[in-house]
Amino acid sequence: MITVAALYAFTPFDDPARLKGPLARIACRNGVKGTIILAPEGINGTIAGSRDGLDAVLAHIRALP
């Protein structure tokens, strides 16, 4: 079963490019696909995968500084 999650959060990121690699690795490792936009003013995206995969990616996002 595939689950889809749409997400956004307005939160300042000093260096959003620095967040890209770790986020991509956790998504790949968990079979999650989609688009995530990282910008100085926050994050926006739509991702899809197994529920466990989405939980792992969302936990990583929630833990971002």
Side-chain angles (χ1 to χ4, degrees), residues 3-8 32-37 44-49 54:
T3 303
V4 176
L7 57 109
Y8 74 93
V32 173
K33 300 186 184 299
T35 300
I36 295 178
I37 300 167
N44 187 350
T46 302
I47 55 176
L54 287 181

Side-chain angles (χ1 to χ4, degrees), residues 2 5-6 10 14 16-17 19 21 24 28 31 37 42 46 48 61-64:
I2 302 238
F10 294 108
D14 291 332
L19 306 174
C28 266
I37 300 167
T46 302
I61 290 170
R62 287 182 182 116
L64 292 173

Side-chain angles (χ1 to χ4, degrees), residues 10-61:
F10 294 108
T11 184
F13 292 129
D14 291 332
D15 185 8
R18 182 178 58 84
L19 306 174
K20 180 182 176 184
L23 185 54
R25 283 190 290 280
I26 196 155
C28 266
R29 204 171 26 235
N30 286 282
V32 173
K33 300 186 184 299
T35 300
I36 295 178
I37 300 167
L38 296 163
E41 62 272 5
I43 186 169
N44 187 350
T46 302
I47 55 176
S50 70
R51 184 67 217 197
D52 289 341
L54 287 181
D55 286 345
V57 173
L58 293 174
H60 178 83
I61 290 170

